[in-house]
Structure formats: C-alpha cells, structure tokens
Amino acid sequence: MGDQANSLLLISRLFLAAIGSRTFVYHADRIPSEGGIIVVSNHRSFMDPLLLTVAVNRQIKFACHHYMGQVPVLREMVTGLGCFPLDNSSRRQQGFFRQATQLLQAEEMVGVFPEGAAPMVRCTPPNLISDFQRGFAHLALRSPVTNLAILPVAIASSDEQLISSRIPLKLLSFFDPSEPLFNQPGWHPAIVYQRSNIMFGRPFWVKSSHRQQYYGKYAKELVNNLTDYVSQEIANLLIEGCI
C-alpha cells in the first residue's frame, strides 16, 4: 500500500475517532482479495467514503458530484482524498467511464453511490434506499477488465444525529446548475453517524459471457438484472444492519 493510501486510511480513522463514531464491520470475508472492484453503496452522509475506506482497509477512488470539483477548498479536499469529481451533465457519463475504467485496469477500487444526490438532500430513513442509477452496471459490463467484481455494501446507521451544515442549497446550485435538487430553499443537511454497521454483500463477478450478452439483444435485461441484484442485496443488508 502506498504512502498516500496509508495517509488516507489514517485520516479516516482519526476523523471517525475524533467525532466519537463507532463502526462495526460484518462479512469482511466477502471482499475480493485481487482484481478491479466496483464498490457500490447506499449514501446518506458525508461520512460514507471515510467509513467505507476504513471498512475495506484500503483506498477507494470515489466518483463524486460535479459541484465538489467546482467549489474552492472542497475541490482540493476531495481530490486529495483520491476522489474524482464527475464532469458536467453533458459529458458526465463519458468522463466517468474513462476515469473509472483506467482505475479498474490498474486493479484499484472504484466507489459508486448510485442513488445520486437525492438521499443527501432529502434525509431518507436509514433502512431505505432510493432508486439506483444504472451507470455502475454499464461500467462493469463495458470495462475491458478480466478480473472484475461488483461489491455491494450497506452502510446501516443504528444511531445518528441530523445537523445543519449551514450551506445553502442555492449556493450549490451556483456551482452546478444542472442539479435540480439544489434549486430549492433551505440548508444542506448533514447526518453524523454515532454508530454504523458496514455490511458487505456477495460480490458479483463479471464474466466474458456477461459482456457478450451486453453487446447483444439482451443488453437492457442484463443491465436491469444486475442493477436489481445489487440494490436488493444492499436493501436486505440494511434490514439486517439497522437494528
């Protein structure tokens, strides 16, 4: 593990310890030991990338919202943590595929939050997930990576606190006008986990037969089935972990 990855792990652990957040990890034996890995998780708090990094005990390169790459200071923070902000709406998918594929080919972990920004703004209950976007499934099936797994992970909060970040949503709309969730009054909420259970699901290994099917007439069905598998796996883990 490189110096930057070790530093990120240390920063994550120190931050969680400083705010008194207790984290418990379950089914860690399901984490693949080699190959490129797409880590797919639910997302309700700014703490989620830190929790997942500590749980897998290695660096994860997270795709993050476009506005995070536009706000001074925040931009330097997220890139310093190994995140890659998505492009604007017109080039978002193309840029995401390009950057994520390069990382997966280098056998890195790429983190994806397929619910998008909605749960971060609307404060959904800890045991529920929003509809998943299908970008991660397309990424997995398009990437020319021989040894590739999708790893579902549930961040199950059993004790948390809702605070105001004092960041107006309208301000974020200035940095990313393409996000309709920011075009409303009020403050961006922030959830702080006092206790969270990180539950690893059963990985899905992408085979050459899946890629062949993806470029055939059953592509849409395959993408939907893969998205449903991962979202259902996380939903089931949340029921187990939110106790």
Side-chain angles (χ1 to χ4, degrees), residues 22-26 42 51 153-159 193 195-200 237-238 240-243:
R22 294 182 297 161
T23 306
F24 301 87
V25 178
Y26 297 88
N42 60 312
L51 289 168
V153 191
I155 301 174
S157 171
S158 56
D159 186 15
Y193 303 131
R195 171 179 173 138
S196 57
N197 301 316
I198 312 302
M199 323 284 293
F200 288 97
L237 290 169
L238 284 175
E240 178 185 347
C242 291
I243 56 175

Side-chain angles (χ1 to χ4, degrees), residues 19 45-47 157 159-163 190-194:
I19 64 174
S45 171
F46 69 96
M47 295 173 58
S157 171
D159 186 15
E160 65 185 37
Q161 181 182 5
L162 176 63
I163 63 175
I191 292 175
V192 177
Y193 303 131
Q194 264 75 56

Side-chain angles (χ1 to χ4, degrees), residues 41-45 48 114-132 155-162 181 188-193 234 238 242:
S41 175
N42 60 312
H43 187 35
R44 299 175 59 246
S45 171
D48 295 337
E115 294 172 285
M120 293 284 291
V121 175
R122 295 173 178 160
C123 295
T124 56
N127 61 340
L128 297 179
I129 57 174
S130 303
D131 291 338
F132 274 23
I155 301 174
S157 171
S158 56
D159 186 15
E160 65 185 37
Q161 181 182 5
L162 176 63
L181 288 168
H188 194 305
I191 292 175
V192 177
Y193 303 131
I234 293 174
L238 284 175
C242 291

Side-chain angles (χ1 to χ4, degrees), residues 10-226:
L10 179 60
I11 290 171
S12 298
R13 292 191 181 110
L14 289 175
F15 178 83
L16 295 176
I19 64 174
S21 178
R22 294 182 297 161
T23 306
F24 301 87
V25 178
Y26 297 88
H27 312 304
D29 57 304
R30 295 172 174 172
I31 303 173
S33 59
E34 59 182 10
I37 303 170
I38 302 174
V39 178
V40 180
S41 175
N42 60 312
H43 187 35
R44 299 175 59 246
S45 171
F46 69 96
M47 295 173 58
D48 295 337
L50 304 178
L51 289 168
L52 292 172
T53 297
V54 169
V56 301
N57 197 37
R58 58 180 282 196
Q59 186 178 15
I60 305 174
K61 304 293 183 67
F62 289 96
C64 61
H65 205 285
H66 174 66
Y67 82 88
M68 292 185 175
Q70 307 302 307
V71 183
V73 180
L74 180 59
R75 175 179 58 240
E76 284 68 35
M77 288 176 59
V78 297
T79 54
L81 290 171
C83 302
F84 57 101
L86 299 175
D87 293 330
N88 60 30
S89 56
S90 63
R91 298 179 299 173
R92 186 164 298 169
Q93 188 178 66
Q94 181 182 359
F96 167 64
F97 285 154
R98 183 187 69 254
Q99 295 180 81
T101 297
Q102 291 173 351
L103 293 168
L104 294 172
Q105 288 175 324
E107 297 195 351
E108 299 273 10
M109 278 187 167
V110 172
V112 180
F113 298 119
E115 294 172 285
M120 293 284 291
V121 175
R122 295 173 178 160
C123 295
T124 56
N127 61 340
L128 297 179
I129 57 174
S130 303
D131 291 338
F132 274 23
Q133 300 172 17
R134 294 171 171 78
F136 75 90
H138 285 286
L139 170 66
L141 295 166
R142 288 185 188 183
S143 297
V145 180
T146 304
N147 197 15
L148 177 62
I150 301 175
L151 180 63
V153 191
I155 301 174
S157 171
S158 56
D159 186 15
E160 65 185 37
Q161 181 182 5
L162 176 63
I163 63 175
S164 173
S165 67
R166 311 310 296 174
I167 299 175
L169 289 169
K170 289 284 189 180
L171 177 62
L172 299 180
S173 183
F174 172 79
F175 292 104
D176 186 3
S178 66
E179 177 54 72
L181 288 168
F182 296 155
N183 189 26
Q184 58 180 306
W187 307 92
H188 194 305
I191 292 175
V192 177
Y193 303 131
Q194 264 75 56
R195 171 179 173 138
S196 57
N197 301 316
I198 312 302
M199 323 284 293
F200 288 97
R202 297 165 295 173
F204 180 94
W205 290 93
V206 181
K207 302 176 182 178
S208 58
S209 59
H210 294 131
R211 293 198 172 96
Q212 291 172 4
Q213 186 179 354
Y214 178 71
Y215 289 104
K217 62 181 180 179
Y218 298 109
K220 184 176 180 180
E221 180 181 354
L222 177 62
V223 168
N224 289 341
N225 288 342
L226 179 51

